[in-house]
Amino acid sequence: MLPQDLITEILLRLPVKSLLRFKCVSKQWLSLISSPQFRHHRRSLTSSGLILCRTTDLIHHISLLGSNNSDQPFTSLSFVHDSAGIKILQSSHGLLLCRSLYKLGKTCSYYICNPSTKKFSVLPHYSAEPDYVSGSESITISGVYLVFNPTKSPHYQVARIRMCSSSFNSYQVEIYSSATRAWRLSGSPFDAPFDMVFDNGVLWNAAIHWISPTGASLCFDIDQERIGTMPGLPSNEKWSRRRLRYFGESGGHLHLTEIHGCTSQFQVFEMERDYSSWVPKYNVDLAPVVDAFPEMVRNCIFRNDSVSYAFSLLCLQEDEDDSLLLLHIPGKFVSYSLRNRTFKLLGSISKESNTALQVGCFHAYQFMESLAGV
């Protein structure tokens, strides 16, 4: 019989699908695989990839950094039975925050899903605010976020921002905990800029961050339960000429990219951890990508004598070896190295798709297999 330590080392390197089957081998294996210690050690050996999806369609699973795994961790979320269908909103350490699609006469539901174990839970609809009585008054939800750090706790939280009934521009944060299975009020009500969009925030440094189309910013510190702001980018150009093209987190850093007018050149900025300023991190020139894929060239809507370039920045991933941008260009996905300025075609979109040549209709989420509970 193999020693227990050797069995553990072997099991730690197996995919989740195999581990779920091996729970049936013996009570000893069931106890081992289900233990918090096993889950903690397995996370340190699990590599992350990206899932690309368009609304409810899961497109592909790829790895920008490291080896490419051809085995798809999952291909659909059909185990969540919702007649309206669901879409992914966020991914965190193997768990997905999903929302049902809008359907006439049906209440919108939110789900926490683990596609590796095919388990899910439905978040309760009621509010923590006493004035909102369940079933008597609808709750206007402006944004929902999954907060999950398995290195600190096996339990996750969900933060949602809803409008207050007393004021049009006043909002309240509520927190749901998987430990208590209930919502609670978090912090005090706050006012927000008229054009703030709360459904495109980024979780970083234990806070949720938002930037409005006119450049205003807000951030909510989850631990301190308070609202703050971020410094603006060092630019004198009007926001009417500036387009926010990417706002996300990677490798423990907050990144932002905006493009001024019609150009293939731009900078990637990184926020200082103390929120003192945005600093330039990378200079990007996509001219070689445009030369290789001329279908990216479009007539510029700002100037009749110029052109623009059709691409969207889906994500940025960093590690010690390289930093890569995932680009969606008409009909294709391309990775671009920010350090050596080379690029690689990752895959093509089926020409049979109605949106094959459209840019901006795909979303990318970091994902790793996990045994985390829902």
Side-chain angles (χ1 to χ4, degrees), residues 200-303:
N200 61 358
V202 177
L203 184 64
W204 172 72
N205 202 21
I208 308 171
H209 306 77
W210 301 275
I211 297 180
S212 79
T214 55
S217 69
L218 285 176
C219 59
F220 180 76
D221 188 304
I222 298 169
D223 294 332
Q224 300 295 325
E225 301 193 3
R226 63 186 181 190
I227 286 287
T229 60
M230 293 182 291
L233 284 175
S235 175
N236 295 322
E237 193 165 4
K238 294 181 179 179
W239 270 93
S240 60
R241 291 280 294 167
R242 299 160 64 178
R243 290 177 292 161
L244 183 64
R245 296 297 289 266
Y246 176 76
F247 184 43
E249 180 274 341
S250 177
H253 302 285
L254 185 65
H255 297 110
L256 183 149
T257 292
E258 60 174 16
I259 295 181
H260 303 250
C262 304
T263 180
S264 62
Q265 299 177 346
F266 53 89
Q267 288 182 307
V268 177
F269 291 86
E270 183 175 292
M271 173 61 74
E272 296 281 17
R273 186 160 290 274
D274 62 359
Y275 291 93
S276 58
S277 65
W278 290 99
V279 295
K281 184 71 178 291
Y282 303 106
N283 293 309
V284 182
D285 187 355
L286 297 182
V289 182
V290 175
D291 291 340
F293 305 104
E295 60 268 29
M296 293 175 63
V297 180
R298 296 284 193 270
N299 291 328
C300 186
I301 62 175
F302 299 110
R303 294 172 53 185

Side-chain angles (χ1 to χ4, degrees), residues 165-214:
S165 57
S166 58
S167 175
F168 178 75
N169 284 331
S170 184
Y171 297 85
Q172 173 69 58
V173 177
E174 295 182 340
I175 300 290
Y176 172 86
S177 171
S178 63
T180 63
R181 301 291 174 179
W183 292 98
R184 66 174 179 84
L185 297 179
S186 180
S188 303
F190 63 94
D191 293 333
F194 73 95
D195 62 341
M196 185 60 68
V197 181
F198 284 106
D199 62 0
N200 61 358
V202 177
L203 184 64
W204 172 72
N205 202 21
I208 308 171
H209 306 77
W210 301 275
I211 297 180
S212 79
T214 55

Side-chain angles (χ1 to χ4, degrees), residues 122-142:
V122 186
L123 298 180
H125 290 284
Y126 63 83
S127 171
E129 177 66 49
D131 291 342
Y132 284 89
V133 180
S134 178
S136 65
E137 186 175 358
S138 62
I139 304 173
T140 303
I141 304 298
S142 300

Side-chain angles (χ1 to χ4, degrees), residues 151-167:
T151 63
K152 294 183 177 180
S153 171
H155 300 289
Y156 62 82
Q157 294 178 304
V158 178
R160 71 181 180 189
I161 294 86
R162 64 164 176 81
M163 292 184 63
C164 295
S165 57
S166 58
S167 175

Side-chain angles (χ1 to χ4, degrees), residues 288-336:
V289 182
V290 175
D291 291 340
F293 305 104
E295 60 268 29
M296 293 175 63
V297 180
R298 296 284 193 270
N299 291 328
C300 186
I301 62 175
F302 299 110
R303 294 172 53 185
N304 295 329
D305 60 343
S306 185
V307 296
S308 62
Y309 304 97
F311 68 93
S312 64
L313 308 179
L314 294 181
C315 75
L316 187 157
Q317 280 196 312
E318 292 183 306
D319 70 3
E320 296 178 354
D321 298 323
D322 205 353
S323 298
L324 298 174
L325 277 177
L326 175 60
L327 306 174
H328 174 209
I329 66 174
K332 300 175 179 67
F333 297 109
V334 175
S335 67
Y336 177 89

